[in-house]
Amino acid sequence: VQLQASGGGTVQVGASLRLACVLSGRVSSWDATAWFRQAPGKEREFVAVISGPGSGAFESESVRDRFIVSRDKTKRTVYLQMNNLNAEDTAVYYCAQGRYGTAESDYTYWGQGTLVTVSS
């Protein structure tokens, strides 16, 4: 299983970005896909997860009501729509594939990360 994250960039406070994670290889339709992020000098933290079938999704409290995770099965792609970005959202964003959960240990496969920088 391979994951390719893209869509990062530099934006101003209040802007929106959509990240994409393209899945390839022997991807189980039952495995979940999650987004994590790691800000400079901080540990990696959970952001959002969506189940394999796409029927269940969960965002962390820090991004709820601003970020939305979704899945397009036909394109084997998971998206993270990020709205009303603020400086605290600056981080490298990673997508991961594995068991539905919020811990890094739930996920077996990881993408390479895409950098999001929010400037004021």
Side-chain angles (χ1 to χ4, degrees):
V1 176
Q2 292 83 43
L3 296 90
Q4 181 72 41
S6 64
T10 299
V11 296
Q12 292 190 329
V13 171
S16 298
L17 274 178
R18 189 177 74 161
L19 305 183
C21 178
V22 178
L23 306 171
S24 61
R26 292 192 171 188
V27 179
S28 169
S29 60
W30 294 105
D31 281 349
T33 307
W35 288 96
F36 288 78
R37 67 185 181 184
Q38 187 166 22
K42 295 187 178 181
E43 295 186 352
R44 190 154 55 183
E45 65 172 354
F46 167 80
V47 175
V49 59
I50 187 166
S51 65
S55 56
F58 178 79
E59 293 89 8
S60 71
E61 188 172 352
S62 64
V63 305
R64 201 166 294 157
D65 299 330
R66 297 188 300 124
F67 292 11
I68 301 171
V69 60
S70 62
R71 182 187 295 278
D72 185 332
K73 293 180 186 179
T74 62
K75 297 181 179 180
R76 301 184 100 189
T77 301
V78 172
Y79 300 99
L80 184 67
Q81 178 66 44
M82 306 186 296
N83 301 318
N84 194 22
L85 287 161
N86 58 56
E88 289 70 39
D89 297 317
T90 294
V92 177
Y93 285 72
Y94 299 89
C95 55
Q97 184 80 355
R99 179 179 62 190
Y100 191 95
T102 62
E104 291 186 51
S105 58
D106 289 322
Y107 298 91
T108 304
Y109 304 100
W110 291 80
Q112 85 290 0
T114 185
L115 176 62
V116 173
T117 303
V118 184
S119 61
S120 57

